[in-house]
Amino acid sequence: MTAPTRPRYSATAICLHWVLAVAIVSAFAVGLYVEDLPFSPQKLKLINWHKWAGVTILALSVLRLAWRLTHRPPALPVQVSLSMPGWQMLAYHATHHLMYALFFIVPLAGWAYSSAKGFPIVWFGVLPLPDLVGKDEALAALLKEVHALAAFALMGLVALHVAAALKHHLIDRDGLLDRMRPGR
């Protein structure tokens, strides 16, 4: 007799989750790295990669949100629902909602910042994107801060999300992480 299978996310949801996770962490790392580089062709190249990653993250986030709105996630395992304190359930939902919001806020603020600085985005060097705002140095300074603060907030939530997933997997051993693990 085989053990009953636990409800899992769809292959599409799992793929979008992990591709976005890698893209977001990579874009953040490149953004941090490039910040302190002296002006050079290498810095310009990395800034463009960072912008391309941001636009790609935005596009994937639209796809992920559309998928999420049209495909219900699997129910939490009964063991998790019964054992998770109310504050953890609240934190679980709040973290997910805030991460989804920041999936849009971070790249849109970066795009608007680039526009306000007068540096257009040409996605992968092929597709010119429209400016979101006109050139404005004061607005650019504000948008740079919004972009940075939102990116750090997103990374904080990602760290919290990872810590919670690892806690459920390593300490609680309740199978929650299995719902999003690829290849199972």
Side-chain angles (χ1 to χ4, degrees):
M1 189 172 229
T2 61
T5 59
R6 296 174 194 241
R8 291 177 42 81
Y9 282 89
S10 68
T12 300
I14 291 170
C15 181
L16 286 169
H17 175 274
W18 290 107
V19 168
L20 270 169
V22 169
I24 288 168
V25 170
S26 298
F28 182 78
V30 169
L32 280 181
Y33 177 71
V34 77
E35 186 68 24
D36 293 328
L37 287 179
F39 186 78
S40 67
Q42 178 68 9
K43 181 172 183 160
L44 292 175
K45 182 177 171 182
L46 290 173
I47 288 171
N48 277 322
W49 287 356
H50 180 74
K51 290 179 184 184
W52 300 341
V55 172
T56 303
I57 288 165
L58 182 59
L60 289 171
S61 295
V62 169
L63 181 60
R64 182 173 182 180
L65 181 60
W67 185 265
R68 176 68 173 78
L69 292 173
T70 58
H71 296 79
R72 291 185 59 80
L76 285 173
V78 174
Q79 177 184 355
V80 174
S81 296
L82 295 176
S83 66
M84 192 182 296
W87 70 266
Q88 283 184 9
M89 191 66 76
L90 179 64
Y92 163 75
H93 289 295
T95 299
H96 279 92
H97 286 100
L98 286 170
M99 281 195 303
Y100 267 92
L102 289 168
F103 291 165
F104 292 91
I105 293 168
V106 173
L108 285 171
W111 185 352
Y113 163 63
S114 189
S115 297
K117 279 299 274 186
F119 298 119
I121 297 175
V122 182
W123 198 21
F124 296 110
V126 177
L127 180 63
L129 300 179
D131 287 333
L132 294 183
V133 297
K135 187 173 178 180
D136 181 331
E137 286 298 323
L139 180 59
L142 174 65
L143 289 168
K144 182 178 184 178
E145 290 300 314
V146 168
H147 179 63
L149 289 172
F152 276 99
L154 180 55
M155 285 301 100
L157 290 173
V158 166
L160 182 63
H161 178 70
V162 169
L166 290 174
K167 179 242 184 215
H168 279 278
H169 186 68
L170 299 172
I171 296 170
D172 298 343
R173 298 185 185 276
D174 56 18
L176 191 65
L177 183 66
D178 292 334
R179 298 171 351 131
M180 191 54 82
R181 281 199 342 201
R184 294 194 79 209

